[in-house]
Amino acid sequence: MRKIRILIAKPGLDGHDRGAKVLARALMEEGFEVIYTGIHQTAEDIVRTAIEEDVDVIGLSILSGAHMYHFTRVLELMKKNGLNDVLLIGGGIVPNDDREKLRDMGVAEIFMPGTPINEISEFIRKNIKRPS
Amino acid sequence: MMEININSKIEIAKLVTKIENHDDDLSTWAIKNIKGAQIIGITGVFGSGKSTLISKLAVKFLSEGKRVAVLGVDPSSPFSGGAVLGDRIRMKDLNRYENVYVRSLSSRGKVGGLSYFTADVVNLFDALGFDVIIIETVGSGQDEIDIYNIAHTIVVIQVPTLGDEVQVIKAGQMEIGDIFVVNKADQGPADEKIREIETLITPRENGWIPKIIKTVAVRNQNIDELKNAIEEHYSYLKKNNMLYEKLILRLKYLLKQHITFELDNLMDSSISSQIAESLLKEKSITGSVNEILKILGEKYGEGRNI
């Protein structure tokens, strides 16, 4: 079976990466290949990495409050580069109103703190856009 | 066979994925189109600074107008088969350059520092027209020597404070280095380390005398010196007509990996005992192991197939 590849990235000036690291490790334990880029990534960095690593999923961890900006920018660049078959998800502290807006914009799901890992991995397995 | 736009990272990335998933036709195409890229292997224990050093080194090649491909291999989990690939964290600088392609590979169950199809991916980069290919091995330790079969020049990274002089005379990595780098030279007795290596290192099989270089990769110190040493070694191989020997080694290694991959898969399947019998038919070990497995199965397995 093909390995599902996931990019976990932290955009912008947000240094709180404990959650992203825990998730990267947990997804590894679920059998995924996780590319972890570390903190302070620009949207350009993230999309370039997603392209070069040929990932199925981009996961952004944002706790800074700048989620609307970063997701918008990443979505823009994904569209520009034709990454229509890549699933974009997020995690962090995002108010409900914004979550809905983000879903309307094309973010598949935003996972809030406390989400069980298997919920996330199930979601990924069910929703990836490329044949597995 | 195909038209590939080398400027399209999306296309390149998809091809690497295909090779990683064992696309025989693509591997064959790559071999037939090898152009002769310069291949550099970077190895050394985890945390020694391989990724940082590669990032700085790649910039030197890029500034000469060369096209560079970087491959970073990280270990896969023996339990889940997953992996955390983190080599790029230290290679952020490279995002500023167009002519570089960076890819992370999971070792996917293979030991030795590379994945089964790393040689195939290297051939692909070579065929696509990259001038320089830099490979970072997993970084687990002393017996990680697969890279010897692929790279023209092997750089072994050491750090001060790790190990005494006995480490230097051991078999394995110390035998394959063409260049030894003592990185993080600002963090301990680097000169002592250099002396240990200097005193005990011997000329390589092909007559090359290994070079030793002191670097502080994060501060970009002595990277030029490292680059020059790599070029010098590469010229040495060229001058002595040794590049083709390296290619032979690489292709033989590739074939062996394909065989091992198939064999490993078969050994994980239900016909593993038949394979063992046909391969080891004259050997007494097969019979005794099977006998013991049978007894264990009867005793503890309760009908389970061990």
Side-chain angles (χ1 to χ4, degrees), chain A residues 2-3 5 24 28-29 31-38 40-41 45 48-49 51-54 81 130, chain B residues 9-10 13-14 17 20 77 80-85 88-89 92 95 97 100-104 106 108:
Chain A
R2 189 176 71 85
K3 282 273 169 216
R5 290 167 69 86
M28 175 270 273
E29 286 172 356
F32 298 108
E33 287 183 359
V34 184
I35 292 94
Y36 181 62
T37 62
H40 299 161
Q41 300 283 308
D45 287 334
R48 174 167 175 162
T49 302
I51 289 172
E52 292 192 345
E53 298 289 353
D54 194 22
N81 287 282
R130 302 171 178 177
Chain B
K9 292 202 161 66
I10 293 186
K14 301 237 178 266
T17 302
E20 270 209 285
S77 160
S80 72
V84 174
L85 311 173
R88 298 185 78 105
I89 296 175
K92 235 180 101 178
N95 283 343
Y97 298 86
V100 58
Y101 173 82
V102 181
R103 179 70 174 238
S104 318
S106 154
R108 294 199 178 169

Side-chain angles (χ1 to χ4, degrees), chain B residues 170-189:
Chain B
K170 281 191 184 169
Q173 281 208 337
M174 295 307 292
E175 291 179 288
I176 63 166
D178 300 304
I179 295 160
F180 290 88
V181 167
V182 178
N183 191 35
K184 304 193 180 182
D186 55 341
Q187 291 184 29

Side-chain angles (χ1 to χ4, degrees), chain A residues 71-126:
Chain A
F71 275 110
T72 307
R73 187 76 187 118
V74 169
L75 275 167
E76 238 172 59
L77 288 171
M78 284 174 71
K79 212 166 274 170
K80 189 177 149 203
N81 287 282
L83 299 186
N84 308 319
D85 58 351
V86 176
L87 189 72
L88 179 63
I89 58 175
I93 299 168
V94 177
N96 283 340
D97 290 358
D98 286 351
R99 281 174 75 189
E100 246 162 71
K101 274 186 223 155
L102 289 169
R103 278 199 212 106
D104 289 343
M105 283 160 54
V107 180
E109 188 56 277
I110 304 279
F111 297 98
M112 300 303 279
T115 310
I117 296 296
N118 60 357
E119 204 174 291
I120 300 173
S121 57
E122 275 311 297
F123 183 88
I124 289 171
R125 286 199 181 94
K126 269 198 202 119

Side-chain angles (χ1 to χ4, degrees), chain B residues 185-238:
Chain B
D186 55 341
Q187 291 184 29
D191 292 327
E192 212 170 287
K193 191 84 197 168
I194 287 173
R195 259 197 313 280
E196 281 169 15
I197 301 172
E198 246 167 13
T199 321
L200 294 165
I201 218 71
T202 49
R204 307 291 88 161
E205 259 187 4
N206 61 15
W208 168 260
I209 298 165
K211 297 217 172 295
I212 308 163
I213 290 156
K214 189 163 74 171
T215 59
V216 183
V218 282
R219 290 203 219 123
N220 223 352
Q221 273 174 22
N222 280 358
I223 306 299
D224 277 321
E225 216 177 297
L226 171 62
K227 159 112 181 350
N228 293 340
I230 291 170
E231 297 293 20
E232 202 180 314
H233 178 256
Y234 191 63
S235 309
Y236 178 87
L237 294 180
K238 248 193 214 166

